[in-house]
Amino acid sequence: MIKKRKKTFIIAAFLSIFIMLLIASYMLNPQPVHAMMVDFSSMEEQDEQVYLEPDISENIEYLIINNLEQSKERISEIFDGLHSTPTMLFVQSPQALKKYAQKNRTGQTYYTYWGHYIVIGPDGFNEDVIAHELLHSELRTRLKNKDKVPVWFDEGLATVVDHRYIRNENLSLDHINDLSSRDAFYEPSQVKENYEIAHSEVTRWFGIVGKSGLAELIEGLNKGGAFNELYKAIESRR
């Protein structure tokens, strides 16, 4: 009887902590919590783990679904198949954007313990944005530790499938490692140029090492290797 009460107490304590953490997360960042609770919203599940705002027209819905499929094909050009299964939310009204997106009408991804949630706004109903966010999810799914790669590589790899970016061979890439942290990369006055730098460097590297080189990098990182050493070594062997 005592053991049973102890077990009940532990379960109750765990649930209480979980609820408190959820409330705290909601107060600080309500949008990811709303995304996690999408099954209990008015959003319509168009396909498995794909939700659309009810007011989206049939023509736009068709465009979104077609672009989503094309975007997945772009990911397959970088990886062999897809491992990630993110929940996708497509929203367009000001109310839905406020509820699910953090001041972003284009696209963003929330990484939670329960999975990845990608929210695409009306400015992102295209292959480029969808593929960009899908690649973030795919890379993080394959990595045992997402912090093993610098921000410039994470964003640079996403731009490989995002045709909004064009490689600029005149950009200086000497200080690419200065853009390894989130604070440095997303510094508002420099973020546009930082994306261009990351794109130019990663497209250069991927053009040399290809799919097999990327797979080797991920495998090496998952075995505990250091990013900079692996990144250079893989290129030097091609």
Side-chain angles (χ1 to χ4, degrees), residues 139-162:
L139 178 62
R140 289 177 181 238
T141 297
R142 290 170 180 264
L143 286 172
K144 291 181 180 178
N145 180 355
K146 66 180 179 60
D147 295 323
K148 292 288 284 186
V149 298
V151 174
W152 65 260
F153 181 80
D154 187 13
E155 289 293 358
L157 191 63
T159 65
V160 171
V161 295
D162 183 345

Side-chain angles (χ1 to χ4, degrees), residues 38-55:
V38 67
D39 281 330
F40 305 97
S41 72
S42 61
M43 294 279 285
E44 295 181 351
E45 188 172 14
Q46 199 280 337
D47 200 353
E48 186 176 5
Q49 292 182 274
V50 178
Y51 295 82
L52 275 68
E53 191 176 355
D55 292 339

Side-chain angles (χ1 to χ4, degrees), residues 19 22 25 29 54 91 96 101 107-108 119 122 140 171 206 212 225 232:
I19 292 170
L22 193 63
S25 296
N29 296 293
V91 296
Q108 60 196 128
V119 179
R140 289 177 181 238
L171 283 173
F206 187 77
S212 62
K232 293 176 182 177

Side-chain angles (χ1 to χ4, degrees), residues 29-35 41-43 51-56 64 89-108 110 118-125 129:
N29 296 293
Q31 292 86 0
V33 177
H34 283 304
S41 72
S42 61
M43 294 279 285
Y51 295 82
L52 275 68
E53 191 176 355
D55 292 339
I56 291 177
I64 288 172
L89 288 76
F90 293 88
V91 296
Q92 68 175 7
S93 71
Q95 296 80 9
L97 284 166
K98 183 178 180 180
K99 183 176 182 179
Y100 294 108
Q102 295 176 330
K103 298 180 180 179
N104 189 331
R105 290 176 51 87
T106 307
Q108 60 196 128
Y110 304 128
I118 297 176
V119 179
I120 304 292
D123 294 345
F125 291 174
V129 172

Side-chain angles (χ1 to χ4, degrees), residues 192-218:
K192 184 177 182 295
E193 182 179 351
N194 292 344
Y195 268 102
E196 293 173 352
I197 292 171
H199 174 74
S200 295
E201 168 56 25
V202 179
T203 52
R204 181 201 66 79
W205 181 84
F206 187 77
I208 296 171
V209 307
K211 230 189 244 192
S212 62
L214 177 59
E216 186 180 344
L217 174 66
I218 293 172

Side-chain angles (χ1 to χ4, degrees), residues 59-217:
N59 289 340
I60 299 298
E61 179 180 322
Y62 174 81
L63 179 68
I64 288 172
I65 299 306
N66 182 66
N67 285 340
L68 177 56
E69 292 306 311
Q70 295 298 318
S71 298
K72 289 180 179 179
E73 290 185 12
R74 290 192 190 184
I75 305 302
S76 296
E77 294 175 1
I78 304 297
F79 300 97
D80 289 320
L82 277 75
H83 290 183
S84 65
T85 56
T87 298
M88 308 281 299
L89 288 76
F90 293 88
V91 296
Q92 68 175 7
S93 71
Q95 296 80 9
L97 284 166
K98 183 178 180 180
K99 183 176 182 179
Y100 294 108
Q102 295 176 330
K103 298 180 180 179
N104 189 331
R105 290 176 51 87
T106 307
Q108 60 196 128
T109 303
Y110 304 128
Y111 308 101
T112 76
Y113 179 80
W114 296 272
H116 299 168
Y117 295 82
I118 297 176
V119 179
I120 304 292
D123 294 345
F125 291 174
N126 57 72
E127 291 179 36
D128 291 326
V129 172
I130 297 171
H132 186 117
E133 298 303 328
L134 281 175
L135 195 136
H136 281 316
S137 179
E138 186 67 27
L139 178 62
R140 289 177 181 238
T141 297
R142 290 170 180 264
L143 286 172
K144 291 181 180 178
N145 180 355
K146 66 180 179 60
D147 295 323
K148 292 288 284 186
V149 298
V151 174
W152 65 260
F153 181 80
D154 187 13
E155 289 293 358
L157 191 63
T159 65
V160 171
V161 295
D162 183 345
H163 299 168
R164 292 175 297 173
Y165 296 87
I166 299 174
R167 182 180 172 189
N168 184 350
E169 296 183 2
N170 295 320
L171 283 173
S172 173
L173 307 177
D174 296 339
H175 304 290
I176 188 74
N177 286 320
D178 292 343
L179 306 178
S180 295
S181 70
R182 293 184 62 83
D183 287 344
F185 190 91
Y186 299 116
E187 203 285 315
S189 65
Q190 292 292 120
V191 68
K192 184 177 182 295
E193 182 179 351
N194 292 344
Y195 268 102
E196 293 173 352
I197 292 171
H199 174 74
S200 295
E201 168 56 25
V202 179
T203 52
R204 181 201 66 79
W205 181 84
F206 187 77
I208 296 171
V209 307
K211 230 189 244 192
S212 62
L214 177 59
E216 186 180 344
L217 174 66

